[in-house]
């Protein structure tokens, strides 16, 4: 399944971000700690190339702590990049973020040289929650100001620390199939752009392979035979346990899928991360190979068409 989601307003947001990025000193990229690489917007990563970057792995309370540690080391090893794990309950978020940014750019301070930071992230990553917590009493939001478009907002975290907030956005084409599923499972993709049953089955398939004990505990499935169940058997089991059964005993797959997705999003199954740096690298490689093969196929067809036209 290819999950595609790029409504018109996201195009506008993209243009505003592309313009603003030119005049900021660094960017904060908010990622979902449960799917760090999948929640990284390649479009914006490209626009922000060359700028120092603070990656916030947000909603860490829902993610697997061991995997979060792996992701943090992975990002902290990259040049001009720092990474922090946060969640909405962290009262020190502002201090942690401003300290990390100032450490990255110690030369930018004082009102003559304010540190200008742009923050972006996918929808639902928790950016509004974080910013609302940060702005509290300490800072003021700017109103209608020349040079500040409707699609962005400038916040003064200190006289010499400006934060440009931008609307959450996805990108037009998600080439890594697994990323599409992970984004959908996390709740970043609008409901009408996805098939919940398919997303739930993919999620169950990942969970049964990587988090089986959590799945067994949440849905009270005995070790034997559930250790051997495939995704559909899991969905059917969950449907029966949750009463998602239609007249005549038929399984209500849609309702069961909604149950699984809600449980995952609320952290009811446990603290789960849907990808590791290695897994993501493998998926990315596979997706690139698939794209290249498709391109070669298209070109071969085009060449064959041309040859055919020249012959006739
Ligand atoms: P956005 O601006 O990036 O789109 O995200 P927003 O802050 O609106 O947060 C999206 C959802 O994620 C909200 O839940 C919010 O409460 C929840 N959230 C934000 N940060 C965290 C976090 O660190 N941990 C967890 N577990 N959840 C977080 P909602 O169900 O859409 O709304 P509500 O429950 O707040 O009413």
């Amino acid at each position: 399944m290819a999950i595609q989601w790029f409504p018109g307003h996201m195009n506008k947001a993209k243009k505003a971000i592309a313009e603003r990025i030119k005049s900021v000193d660094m960017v904060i990229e908010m990622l979902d700690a449960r799917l760090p690489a999948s929640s990284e917007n390649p479009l914006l990563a490209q626009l922000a190339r060359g700028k120092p970057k603070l990656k916030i792995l947000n909603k860490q309370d829902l993610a697997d702590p061991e995997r979060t540690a792996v992701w943090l080391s992975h990002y902290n090893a990259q040049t001009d990049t720092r990474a922090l794990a946060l969640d909405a309950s962290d009262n020190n978020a502002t201090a942690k973020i401003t300290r990390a940014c100032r450490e990255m750019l110690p030369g930018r301070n004082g009102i003559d040289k304010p540190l200008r930071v742009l923050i972006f992230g996918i929808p639902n990553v928790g950016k509004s929650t974080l910013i609302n917590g940060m702005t509290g009493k300490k800072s003021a939001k700017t109103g209608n100001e020349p040079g500040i478009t409707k699609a962005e907002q400038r916040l003064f975290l200190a006289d010499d620390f400006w934060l440009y907030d931008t609307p959450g956005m996805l990108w037009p084409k998600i080439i890594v199939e697994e990323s599409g599923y992970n984004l959908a499972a996390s709740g970043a993709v609008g409901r009408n752009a996805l098939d919940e049953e398919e997303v739930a089955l993919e999620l169950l398939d990942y969970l049964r392979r990587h988090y089986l004990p959590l799945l067994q505990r949440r849905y009270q499935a005995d070790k034997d035979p559930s250790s051997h169940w495939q995704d559909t058997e899991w969905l059917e089991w969950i449907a029966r346990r949750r009463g998602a059964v239609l007249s005549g005993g038929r399984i209500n797959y849609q309702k069961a899928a909604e149950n699984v997705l809600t449980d995952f999003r609320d952290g009811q199954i446990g603290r789960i991360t849907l990808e590791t740096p290695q897994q993501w690298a493998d998926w990315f490689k596979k997706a690139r190979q698939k794209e290249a093969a498709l391109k070669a196929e298209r070109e071969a067809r085009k060449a064959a068409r041309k040859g055919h036209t020249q012959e006739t």
Side-chain angles (χ1 to χ4, degrees):
M1 175 181 57
I3 291 174
Q4 305 254 346
W5 185 249
F6 204 67
H9 69 270
M10 288 196 186
N11 241 328
K12 242 186 180 167
K14 185 195 124 191
K15 278 194 190 136
I17 295 173
E19 204 41 50
R20 176 57 59 198
I21 270 181
K22 294 178 197 160
S23 65
V24 297
D25 305 300
M26 64 175 290
V27 297
I28 296 178
E29 189 175 22
M30 275 193 85
L31 303 174
D32 188 321
R34 297 166 298 173
L35 45 141
S38 292
S39 56
E40 180 176 320
N41 187 330
L43 205 65
L44 299 185
Q46 202 179 356
L47 290 175
R49 194 175 286 165
K51 302 270 179 195
K53 199 175 285 172
L54 174 66
K55 288 178 182 276
I56 295 179
L57 274 63
N58 201 39
K59 301 197 181 183
Q60 69 154 345
D61 56 319
L62 300 175
D64 176 340
E66 277 178 33
R67 287 190 172 191
T68 297
V70 172
W71 277 107
L72 289 177
S73 331
H74 172 77
Y75 288 133
N76 280 319
Q78 295 176 357
T79 45
D80 261 348
T81 306
R82 284 205 46 189
L84 277 180
L86 282 182
D87 64 62
S89 71
D90 194 329
N91 295 326
N92 287 324
T94 309
K96 284 182 184 169
I97 292 170
T98 51
R99 194 186 321 128
C101 292
R102 288 194 192 278
E103 278 171 11
M104 290 191 86
L105 285 167
R108 297 287 319 180
N109 58 49
I111 40 177
D112 297 339
K113 268 191 298 164
L115 182 51
R116 296 155 303 176
V117 183
L118 180 127
I119 185 165
F120 59 78
I122 58 166
N124 210 41
V125 73
K127 192 159 59 61
S128 315
T129 307
L130 177 78
I131 287 181
N132 289 342
M134 286 169 92
T135 50
K137 292 175 201 124
K138 275 183 247 135
S139 68
K141 287 180 189 178
T142 53
N144 290 336
E145 244 191 275
I148 307 287
T149 70
K150 264 193 182 160
E152 63 182 356
Q153 199 174 42
R154 183 165 62 172
L155 309 158
F156 294 106
L157 292 187
D159 286 345
D160 63 349
F161 195 113
W162 302 355
L163 186 67
Y164 290 93
D165 183 21
T166 60
M169 65 176 269
L170 287 172
W171 52 102
K173 190 168 179 230
I174 297 163
I175 71 153
V176 178
E177 199 178 20
E178 291 84 351
S179 286
Y181 286 119
N182 289 353
L183 285 163
S186 77
V189 180
R191 272 191 80 174
N192 49 358
L194 56 92
D195 177 336
E196 281 166 321
E197 195 181 315
E198 218 174 322
V199 175
L201 284 171
E202 283 294 322
L203 176 64
L204 287 169
D205 187 51
Y206 191 88
L207 298 183
R208 76 172 181 86
R209 287 184 288 118
H210 300 280
Y211 290 99
L212 184 63
L214 293 185
L215 207 51
Q216 288 168 328
R217 197 180 59 200
R218 173 66 186 165
Y219 299 110
Q220 291 153 346
D222 285 337
K223 237 177 166 183
D224 195 30
S226 72
S227 301
H228 306 288
W229 287 348
Q230 301 297 307
D231 48 8
T232 311
E233 286 160 300
W234 270 108
L235 194 58
E236 288 171 356
W237 170 262
I238 293 163
R240 287 201 192 89
R241 286 210 67 86
R242 294 287 171 90
V245 180
L246 300 163
S247 58
R250 280 176 306 126
I251 298 288
N252 186 342
Y253 288 97
Q254 173 64 23
K255 193 164 173 216
E258 284 169 16
N259 261 282
V260 173
L261 293 177
T262 305
D263 277 358
F264 170 71
R265 289 170 188 161
D266 292 346
Q268 297 292 343
I269 304 174
R271 296 182 70 174
I272 289 163
T273 299
L274 296 175
E275 55 202 39
T276 64
Q278 186 57 54
Q279 284 168 349
W280 201 82
D282 293 343
W283 299 340
F284 186 68
K285 193 170 157 200
K286 197 180 66 186
R288 290 289 291 267
Q289 282 166 349
K290 200 168 153 193
E291 285 269 296
L294 276 173
K295 194 171 166 218
E297 222 176 85
R298 265 199 307 270
E299 273 165 13
R301 273 204 307 268
K302 201 168 144 194
R305 267 202 312 274
K306 255 192 185 164
H308 182 73
T309 323
Q310 274 163 8
E311 272 171 34
T312 53

